[in-house]
Amino acid sequence: DIAYKTFDVKPNPGKYNTFRAVVPVCGGTVTVSYENGTVTASATVPGGTLRYNGKSAAIPTNGSVKL
């Protein structure tokens, strides 16, 4: 059984104008990037939610979402 069925991605750009990160998770990866005030997240596993600046959106499996 999967240890975590849901997960949140909560980026905090701080002083950075751009960044990109790939994080391994059980059974896949989560990728998050930030550029020009927009955060993009994608995941190869289900159950993710992107949360940024008081907004949230589901991260589609093998797709991406922007906030």
Side-chain angles (χ1 to χ4, degrees):
D1 197 20
I2 296 174
Y4 301 98
K5 293 183 181 183
T6 64
F7 58 92
D8 287 345
V9 176
K10 298 179 184 178
N12 181 1
K15 64 181 180 179
Y16 297 101
N17 295 319
T18 63
F19 69 78
R20 183 175 187 273
V22 179
V23 181
V25 295
C26 186
T29 58
V30 175
T31 302
V32 61
S33 62
Y34 175 80
E35 187 171 7
N36 298 323
T38 300
V39 175
T40 303
S42 61
T44 61
V45 293
T49 302
L50 174 61
R51 300 184 190 282
Y52 181 67
N53 268 354
K55 299 177 184 175
S56 64
I59 304 170
T61 306
N62 296 317
S64 65
V65 64
K66 292 183 181 190
L67 288 180

